[in-house]
Amino acid sequence: MKKYFTSESVTEGHPDKICDQISDAVLDEILSHDPMARVACEVVVNTGLVLVVGEITTDCYVDIDKIARKTIKEIGYDRAKYGFDAETCAVLVSIDEQSGDIALGVDNSLEGKDGSEDIYERTGAGDQGMMFGYACDETEQYMPLPIYLANKLARRLSEVRKNKTLKYLRPDGKTQVTVEYDEKDQARRIEAIVISTQHGKEVMQEQIRKDIIEQVILPVIDKEMLDEKTKIFVNPTGRFVTGGPKGDSGLTGRKIIVDTYGGFCGHGGGAFSGKDPTKVDRTAAYMARYIAKNIVAAGLAKKCEIQISYAIGVARPLSVFVNTYGTGAVDDEKIAEAIDKEFDLRPAAIIEYLSLRRPIYKQTAAYGHFGRDDIDLPWEKTDKIQALQAYLTKDRG
């Protein structure tokens, strides 16, 4: 029985991704001066307008206007004819401090109120909610193939624009990949590829299609996964001249499925960009990915989903859920026991273990937070394999 699964990605010039990158650029700049800062920064873009809002508590000063314009320019919006220009757009800033009610729970957790001297016990979660992590053995990066390829196509689309291989391309763009799976959930072929890319008005549709296939699709997609039945759509409407914030408004956190696993697993709903590591929406999702990836890399399962839940102001998670979809070498309950013994899921412990109080976030704000083979991220390490394999050995013994 054939099955099909589709995931999409967007380029760094997509309006929502512009916002994510500005949010994380602000966060990185603040963390470079004040690692203990509390940051919740969100951005809205529209024609000629950037609005930066949020709650930030810090001892340092950063020039948010300058950060926003620099980020926009790096993306490629540096000419008015692109419909959005880093030099001439308006940047409005409305920032407050973090709510004292929220800070109260983060600074002095429920457990800390009992007099605990454990530093990890005294820091509470910055919000309630559930976070998911996922890994599978479909790719060397332990990512589902559809989102991995969609992100890679989006990166390649920006690459050929920036290196002038295709000079007529503009920053906005989207990609989509449909993979055919067999009855054993093995990826067999690519059913469809969709690429929509902003372009100059002087170029014809036939030329765009030819160039995108030759310069973007074929260098990225394994030819053995393509056949005569593979459908390729390039700018299906026939025209994509108006793009970026002129074509559509953008908002931080509106591409959470692109940021994660392309819809292959659950998502708690919380966005990542613009949030400092006390926010478990970000921190716990990174830790859940780290755990799931190490479980699959250790051979405990072929695919694994981890859910962690928290209450605001409470250090210890409320629950940890493991789902290996029947692919586990040991029972899911045994894996959950291993997680409990090997991983400290209190927010302060995660922050220290993954060294998250560093300016490392802007690089994640486009092309996915997971499975990246172009940047070095602490939650992508597989350094817990031996420790986890010990549990597999114990169970079989």
Side-chain angles (χ1 to χ4, degrees), residues 143-175:
M143 289 290 286
L145 186 61
I147 187 64
Y148 175 72
L149 291 179
N151 278 330
K152 200 166 182 180
L153 286 170
R155 287 207 312 269
R156 177 64 181 172
L157 191 58
S158 287
E159 180 184 334
V160 297
R161 169 179 62 87
K162 289 185 170 183
N163 66 20
K164 307 297 184 183
T165 298
L166 301 180
K167 296 181 180 180
Y168 57 80
L169 292 185
R170 303 293 180 256
D172 198 356
K174 302 181 77 172
T175 63

Side-chain angles (χ1 to χ4, degrees), residues 302-343:
K302 294 180 68 63
K303 51 186 174 180
C304 179
E305 179 183 78
I306 305 291
Q307 185 206 58
I308 310 171
S309 70
Y310 292 88
I312 188 169
V314 180
R316 295 183 177 275
L318 303 182
S319 66
V320 178
F321 173 75
V322 178
N323 182 10
T324 62
Y325 302 89
T327 69
V330 296
D331 292 340
D332 290 357
E333 183 180 353
K334 292 289 184 183
I335 296 176
E337 290 175 4
I339 292 171
D340 183 57
K341 290 181 173 137
E342 289 296 326
F343 302 94

Side-chain angles (χ1 to χ4, degrees), residues 274-285:
K275 295 179 180 178
D276 75 80
T278 66
K279 278 69 171 177
V280 284
D281 277 338
R282 181 168 221 158
T283 302

Side-chain angles (χ1 to χ4, degrees), residues 175-211:
T175 63
Q176 185 171 290
V177 177
T178 301
V179 175
E180 179 186 307
Y181 291 87
D182 63 19
E183 65 279 358
K184 295 181 179 179
D185 288 336
Q186 298 294 311
R188 291 305 179 193
R189 55 180 292 275
I190 304 299
E191 170 68 12
I193 297 171
V194 182
I195 295 183
S196 295
T197 179
Q198 186 185 11
H199 58 86
K201 61 184 178 182
E202 71 280 0
V203 65
M204 301 301 292
Q205 170 67 10
E206 293 77 11
Q207 184 66 47
I208 298 172
R209 177 180 172 83
K210 177 178 179 295
D211 289 344

Side-chain angles (χ1 to χ4, degrees), residues 48-187:
L49 173 65
V50 179
L51 175 60
V52 185
V53 300
E55 298 79 41
I56 298 176
T57 302
T58 180
D59 292 331
C60 73
Y61 168 79
V62 298
D63 190 336
I64 292 178
D65 181 288
K66 184 177 180 180
I67 294 168
R69 294 184 190 280
K70 180 182 177 184
T71 303
I72 293 165
K73 187 173 183 178
E74 288 173 348
I75 291 168
Y77 288 109
D78 54 3
R79 300 182 186 181
K81 71 177 183 178
Y82 294 169
F84 197 64
D85 178 21
E87 297 295 332
T88 60
C89 66
V91 179
L92 305 181
V93 180
S94 180
I95 299 292
D96 292 320
E97 289 189 350
Q98 184 184 62
S99 163
D101 294 342
I102 295 174
L104 184 66
V106 176
D107 296 335
N108 189 17
S109 71
L110 181 67
E111 295 92 334
K113 291 180 175 67
D114 294 333
S116 173
E117 294 300 318
D118 187 337
I119 59 171
Y120 298 151
E121 203 80 342
R122 294 202 304 265
T123 302
D127 202 353
Q128 70 176 49
M130 62 284 191
M131 299 82 213
F132 289 87
Y134 182 82
C136 61
D137 63 0
E138 281 186 34
T139 63
E140 293 181 0
Q141 295 74 23
Y142 297 96
M143 289 290 286
L145 186 61
I147 187 64
Y148 175 72
L149 291 179
N151 278 330
K152 200 166 182 180
L153 286 170
R155 287 207 312 269
R156 177 64 181 172
L157 191 58
S158 287
E159 180 184 334
V160 297
R161 169 179 62 87
K162 289 185 170 183
N163 66 20
K164 307 297 184 183
T165 298
L166 301 180
K167 296 181 180 180
Y168 57 80
L169 292 185
R170 303 293 180 256
D172 198 356
K174 302 181 77 172
T175 63
Q176 185 171 290
V177 177
T178 301
V179 175
E180 179 186 307
Y181 291 87
D182 63 19
E183 65 279 358
K184 295 181 179 179
D185 288 336
Q186 298 294 311

